[in-house]
Amino acid sequence: MKRLLTISILFLVINTALTQNIPSVQLSISYDSINHKMLLRWAPDNVQLWQLANNYGYTIEKYYYQRDGKLLDIPLEKEILVKDQKPRPLEEWEDFVQINDYAAIAAQSVYGDGIDLNDTQNGIFSIVNKSKELQSRFSFSLFAADQSVEVADFLGLYYEDHKVQDNERYLYRVYANVPDSIISADTASVYFGPKDFDPLPKPRVESIIQKDGQVIIRWLNEPFSQVFSAYIIERSFNNGGFKKVNALPIVNFKKGAR
């Protein structure tokens, strides 16, 4: 009976995996108008793809799509910006983790010995806990990358393209170099040029209430859920400039909350 139960559970896990959506790389892009460079930031949406891509790396392609308002002839001009972008080797993180807390989180997620989940079970329960550990590593890693561009760069999830012209528009493609025989994943792509850039919106404060010697600030989260991953609160002390009030970013995981 135990053997039958184990086989049934494993079949359920495999069947669930087969019916999930195809994993993909999610790509976002912005333009630094001061330094004239494109900022590419991506992340896998699947823990298995994340783990494999850390080993196989990513390829970044650039196609010249439009110039002076005119579409270019096919085949488009093409550049391979990067062929094998991966997380940096562990030894390159050693100094970085001393000055950036998010770097320590990311390095532990990629290279650490393990995240303690009080795993005292064997057999199928051990498999489940290992899966939870991998999911935790994946989540912590992407969260750290969201909080620090430098960490995203060290994780191999960020690239700056300095070869940019104001009169051009580009097609960027990012994909993991994982063989299809191991996992089939979609390629991320985006069309973008300097003239497509819009400044980020400002967070909208809903109310400020002073009560019992405290100040309660409420701001709208839902309209910007796809723009901001966390918030930092700053306060001006005696008109001497602004300083952070919260040591850690305020993250709202509850969709629709304020």
Side-chain angles (χ1 to χ4, degrees), residues 124-144:
I124 189 64
F125 297 103
S126 178
I127 295 174
V128 171
N129 279 343
K130 284 295 182 182
S131 175
K132 289 181 179 179
E133 178 187 326
L134 183 58
Q135 183 65 48
S136 296
R137 288 175 179 268
F138 172 59
S139 300
F140 291 150
S141 175
L142 296 193
F143 173 77

Side-chain angles (χ1 to χ4, degrees), residues 100-137:
N100 188 309
D101 290 339
Y102 296 111
I105 295 172
Q108 174 68 20
S109 297
V110 176
Y111 295 108
D113 294 332
I115 298 174
D116 185 10
L117 294 173
N118 297 317
D119 182 9
T120 59
Q121 303 292 335
N122 295 315
I124 189 64
F125 297 103
S126 178
I127 295 174
V128 171
N129 279 343
K130 284 295 182 182
S131 175
K132 289 181 179 179
E133 178 187 326
L134 183 58
Q135 183 65 48
S136 296
R137 288 175 179 268

Side-chain angles (χ1 to χ4, degrees), residues 22 47 78 109 112 115 128 130 181 213 216 218 226 228 243:
I22 297 175
V47 63
K78 175 184 175 180
S109 297
I115 298 174
V128 171
K130 284 295 182 182
S181 58
I216 301 173
R218 291 171 58 89
Q226 301 300 315
F228 304 117
K243 296 182 179 180

Side-chain angles (χ1 to χ4, degrees), residues 10-254:
L10 290 177
F11 176 78
L12 176 61
V13 172
I14 293 172
N15 186 60
T16 301
L18 291 175
T19 57
Q20 289 179 344
N21 294 330
I22 297 175
S24 63
V25 177
Q26 304 297 313
L27 171 65
S28 62
I29 188 170
S30 186
Y31 176 62
D32 183 343
S33 58
I34 297 176
N35 299 298
H36 302 287
K37 57 185 178 181
M38 291 294 188
L39 314 177
L40 282 76
R41 169 81 168 86
W42 64 91
D45 67 354
N46 175 283
V47 63
Q48 183 184 10
L49 180 59
W50 169 74
Q51 187 180 36
L52 290 168
N54 284 344
N55 294 321
Y56 286 92
Y58 295 91
T59 291
I60 308 172
E61 299 176 345
K62 176 183 180 181
Y63 295 81
Y64 291 77
Y65 176 72
Q66 195 175 69
R67 185 174 293 130
D68 295 324
K70 297 180 180 180
L71 297 178
L72 300 182
D73 293 335
I74 296 175
L76 300 175
E77 300 175 32
K78 175 184 175 180
E79 287 185 25
I80 304 295
L81 300 179
V82 179
K83 286 186 177 181
D84 188 28
Q85 178 140 323
K86 301 177 182 178
R88 297 196 190 184
L90 181 58
E91 57 269 18
E92 294 187 24
W93 289 79
E94 293 179 358
D95 293 333
F96 189 29
V97 299
Q98 303 300 322
I99 60 174
N100 188 309
D101 290 339
Y102 296 111
I105 295 172
Q108 174 68 20
S109 297
V110 176
Y111 295 108
D113 294 332
I115 298 174
D116 185 10
L117 294 173
N118 297 317
D119 182 9
T120 59
Q121 303 292 335
N122 295 315
I124 189 64
F125 297 103
S126 178
I127 295 174
V128 171
N129 279 343
K130 284 295 182 182
S131 175
K132 289 181 179 179
E133 178 187 326
L134 183 58
Q135 183 65 48
S136 296
R137 288 175 179 268
F138 172 59
S139 300
F140 291 150
S141 175
L142 296 193
F143 173 77
D146 278 347
Q147 307 310 312
S148 170
V149 171
E150 293 82 4
V151 170
D153 181 35
F154 268 67
L155 285 170
L157 301 176
Y158 177 78
Y159 182 84
E160 295 183 356
D161 179 15
H162 295 261
K163 190 177 178 181
V164 177
Q165 300 295 330
D166 290 340
N167 65 328
E168 294 180 336
R169 202 161 181 250
Y170 313 102
L171 166 64
Y172 292 94
R173 299 174 75 240
V174 178
Y175 56 87
N177 302 325
V178 183
D180 288 340
S181 58
I182 298 177
I183 187 173
S184 180
D186 283 344
T187 297
S189 61
V190 63
Y191 294 99
F192 203 79
K195 293 183 180 179
D196 295 321
F197 171 71
D198 289 321
L200 288 173
K202 296 181 180 180
R204 292 172 55 188
V205 175
E206 182 183 37
S207 63
I208 300 177
I209 302 174
Q210 296 185 10
K211 183 179 180 181
D212 300 329
Q214 297 181 334
V215 176
I216 301 173
I217 305 173
R218 291 171 58 89
W219 62 90
L220 299 179
N221 175 68
E222 181 60 23
F224 310 106
S225 60
Q226 301 300 315
V227 180
F228 304 117
S229 59
Y231 296 88
I232 297 293
I233 310 300
E234 295 184 338
R235 174 184 173 186
S236 177
F237 292 85
N238 299 322
N239 297 320
F242 286 90
K243 296 182 179 180
K244 290 194 298 184
V245 175
N246 52 318
L248 297 175
I250 297 176
V251 181
N252 197 331
F253 296 103
K254 191 174 182 179

